[in-house]
Amino acid sequence: IAVGSLEPQFFHALWKTLELGAVPDHMDRRTWPGIERRLTDIFHSQPRERWTALFEGRLTRPALNNMDNGRQS
């Protein structure tokens, strides 16, 4: 999963959708290691199909590996 929610409203929506609790200040570099750990842990906890379904219709696309090339429209 690749995440690029830089704007505050998109980061907030991502964090709330993932039900990660209080939304950290993602513009404060000191919070980045903790944010990275939380996102890594949550995305590793479920298969890609779970996240694809959760974010369906929310300006997202699954990140494909070489085995998936050509199978996604």
Side-chain angles (χ1 to χ4, degrees), residues 6-50:
L6 298 177
E7 295 88 348
Q9 68 274 22
F10 298 129
F11 183 82
H12 187 272
L14 169 72
W15 205 261
K16 289 299 185 182
T17 299
L18 295 174
E19 300 177 349
L20 294 174
V23 181
D25 179 2
H26 75 292
M27 300 306 262
D28 180 347
R29 287 177 174 247
R30 295 172 297 181
T31 66
W32 292 0
I35 290 170
E36 181 179 13
R37 273 192 306 278
R38 295 290 304 277
L39 292 175
T40 298
D41 290 348
I42 194 77
F43 284 123
H44 279 159
S45 74
Q46 300 288 324
R48 183 181 68 197
E49 292 75 18
R50 160 77 170 114

